[in-house]
């Protein structure tokens, strides 16, 4: 009896019935059907976001698997940053559900219902996620080491010595160990962005979000930052969402590439599928602009 009921409910795509089904499913199937390897670490379902009466995300469904590196490409204004900011809990979705490790980000389960979560729940969930922004926003009056230890000490309540040890380890990883006593203004843009990366890594997130981390940099500094991110991607087991206009980088680092346009994920696939065999005209046109003709299409 129970099984056909679940299946028939699954076919509904109204938000409420889907939500009820999924919660029902979870409590029942959580341990039996979804092993840790098959549970997406991030799951967007029917996620929408409006600013005023402008809908900038129009119903995003997206799963990211643990350790998966997902690049997001797409024209300006297509919703890439908003997609990441919702996961970082910097914006709330207008509709839909986001889950991290199978747990709703903005909601709590009470029996079979989802209710809006309190700030404590959201803060706990947020600690699983780190984000690197286009503008690094370091504290100007603190040293590099202090910039990196700030969050572990004040958010994670880590003892100072332990935080400093971890911070040194991360600054070593991004190649800045000899600069730890300097102030941000003494560093180049590329070095500052590497500090920002160390600052996110020190919190040991399970998911890292990079929002065009090199687009504010002088061209000669882009390479060093991409190299650091690439190394983290190759060595680390974190899932990563990489929003980027660096197509070659996306191609080299990503397991999967998403193309967003007009608030939707229009196409997704392996780097080869996306860059060598783009299907939609919109992606073909986008790539033609970037890569000088690859994918054809034109405008
Ligand atoms: N806080 C906000 N208030 C109003 N509109 C916003 C806000 N944030 C984003 N938008 C709008 O939402 C749309 C999507 O913006 P978003 O920043 O997600 O795009 P993007 O794909 O990251 O673009 P870009 O490549 O230029 O960074 C844009 O039209 C933008 O103007
Ligand atoms: Mg953006």
């Amino acid at each position: 009896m129970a099984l056909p009921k679940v299946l028939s409910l699954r076919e509904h795509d109204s938000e409420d019935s889907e939500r009820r089904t999924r919660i029902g499913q979870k409590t029942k199937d959580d341990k039996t059907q979804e092993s840790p390897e098959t549970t997406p670490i991030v799951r967007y379902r029917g996620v929408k976001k409006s600013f005023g009466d402008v809908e900038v995300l129009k119903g995003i469904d997206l799963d990211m698997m643990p350790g998966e590196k997902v690049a997001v490409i797409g024209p300006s204004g297509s919703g890439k940053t908003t997609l990441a900011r919702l996961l970082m809990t910097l914006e709330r979705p207008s509709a839909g559900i986001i889950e991290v490790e199978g747990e709703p980000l903005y909601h709590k389960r009470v029996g079979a219902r989802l209710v809006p979560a309190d700030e404590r729940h959201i803060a706990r969930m947020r600690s699983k996620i780190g984000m690197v922004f286009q503008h690094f926003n370091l504290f100007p009056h603190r040293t590099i080491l202090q910039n990196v230890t700030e969050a572990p000490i004040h958010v994670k309540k880590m003892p100072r010595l332990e935080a400093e040890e971890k911070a040194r380890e991360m600054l070593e990883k991004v190649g800045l160990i000899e600069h730890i006593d300097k102030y941000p203004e003494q560093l180049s843009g590329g070095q500052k962005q590497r500090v920002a990366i160390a600052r996110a890594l020190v919190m040991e997130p399970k998911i890292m979000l990079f929002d065009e981390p090199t687009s504010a940099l002088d061209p000669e500094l882009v390479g060093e930052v991409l190299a650091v991110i690439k190394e983290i991607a190759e060595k680390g087991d974190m899932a990563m969402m990489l929003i980027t206009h660096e197509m070659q980088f996306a191609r080299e680092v990503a397991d999967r590439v998403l193309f967003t346009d007009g608030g939707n994920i229009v196409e997704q696939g392996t780097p080869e599928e996306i860059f060598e065999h783009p299907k939609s005209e919109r992606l073909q046109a986008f790539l033609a602009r970037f890569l000088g003709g690859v994918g054809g299409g034109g405008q």
Side-chain angles (χ1 to χ4, degrees):
M1 275 309 277
L3 188 60
K5 199 170 167 195
V6 168
L7 288 176
S8 72
L9 268 173
R10 255 182 179 169
E11 283 157 15
H12 278 261
D13 49 9
S14 107
E15 220 173 83
D16 265 3
S17 69
E18 200 207 22
R19 188 179 300 177
R20 275 195 302 273
T21 315
R22 288 166 39 67
I23 301 158
Q25 251 172 266
K26 277 254 136 218
T27 47
K28 248 187 280 154
D29 303 351
D30 222 358
K31 303 212 168 51
T32 49
Q33 285 198 349
E34 291 194 333
S35 67
E37 305 86 73
T38 58
T39 306
I41 190 155
V42 174
R43 189 182 248 162
Y44 293 69
R45 281 297 176 277
V47 172
K48 298 181 179 177
K49 178 65 184 174
S50 297
F51 292 108
D53 50 13
V54 182
E55 195 172 65
V56 303
L57 290 180
K58 297 181 176 159
I60 299 291
D61 293 319
L62 168 64
D63 286 351
M64 284 173 64
M65 300 312 288
E68 192 183 17
K69 319 303 181 217
V70 176
V72 182
I73 61 170
S76 180
S78 61
K80 305 179 300 293
T81 293
T82 306
L83 190 68
R85 285 174 60 84
L86 292 175
L87 183 55
M88 194 58 209
T89 72
L90 297 169
E91 303 280 0
R92 277 180 182 253
S94 314
I97 299 287
I98 300 177
E99 291 178 356
V100 174
E101 293 188 306
E103 232 188 312
L105 186 55
Y106 292 98
H107 301 86
K108 270 179 143 171
R109 295 198 173 91
V110 176
R113 287 191 321 124
L114 285 183
V115 298
D118 50 29
E119 187 46 43
R120 217 166 130 237
H121 170 89
I122 294 175
R124 182 173 63 79
M125 297 298 286
R126 184 189 300 130
S127 71
K128 301 177 187 211
I129 306 155
M131 186 158 174
V132 174
F133 303 86
Q134 184 175 354
H135 299 285
F136 5 91
N137 302 325
L138 302 178
F139 296 114
H141 304 300
R142 305 229 171 103
T143 64
I144 299 316
L145 185 66
Q146 287 165 344
N147 266 278
V148 179
T149 56
E150 170 76 20
I153 292 173
H154 295 287
V155 179
K156 270 199 170 169
K157 312 291 178 206
M158 196 183 278
R160 178 174 302 275
L161 281 180
E162 191 186 333
E164 285 183 359
E165 193 181 325
K166 273 206 124 2
R168 281 172 204 278
E169 193 188 314
M170 296 307 150
L171 285 161
E172 172 96 58
K173 200 178 258 194
V174 300
L176 289 176
I177 196 70
E178 67 273 31
H179 298 290
I180 57 173
D181 295 322
K182 290 187 178 166
Y183 288 85
E185 64 175 14
Q186 296 172 278
L187 301 188
S188 71
Q191 289 171 326
K192 280 190 255 197
Q193 189 60 298
R194 287 189 276 143
V195 176
I197 293 170
R199 181 179 57 179
L201 285 177
V202 79
M203 296 295 275
E204 299 185 322
K206 300 200 170 168
I207 307 146
M208 279 277 278
L209 313 177
F210 293 87
D211 188 6
E212 300 197 28
T214 60
S215 58
L217 300 177
D218 291 337
E220 70 272 20
L221 303 175
V222 167
E224 68 187 63
V225 173
L226 293 183
V228 162
I229 298 173
K230 197 170 169 202
E231 183 161 333
I232 296 165
E234 281 164 3
K235 292 201 178 143
D237 54 6
M238 283 176 293
M240 288 188 178
M241 182 188 282
L242 304 147
I243 301 171
T244 186
H245 288 300
E246 300 286 340
M247 299 300 154
Q248 187 56 34
F249 171 71
R251 217 177 174 124
E252 285 168 17
V253 173
D255 300 311
R256 181 157 51 119
V257 182
L258 309 180
F259 169 63
T260 57
D261 196 12
N264 291 303
I265 297 172
V266 172
E267 196 165 330
Q268 58 178 299
T270 61
E272 196 190 337
E273 284 164 346
I274 292 294
F275 294 113
E276 309 292 340
H277 311 286
K279 292 194 193 90
S280 63
E281 275 182 27
R282 284 197 275 177
L283 175 56
Q284 288 169 5
F286 175 78
L287 292 175
R289 282 201 299 278
F290 261 93
L291 307 173
V294 174
Q299 284 266 57

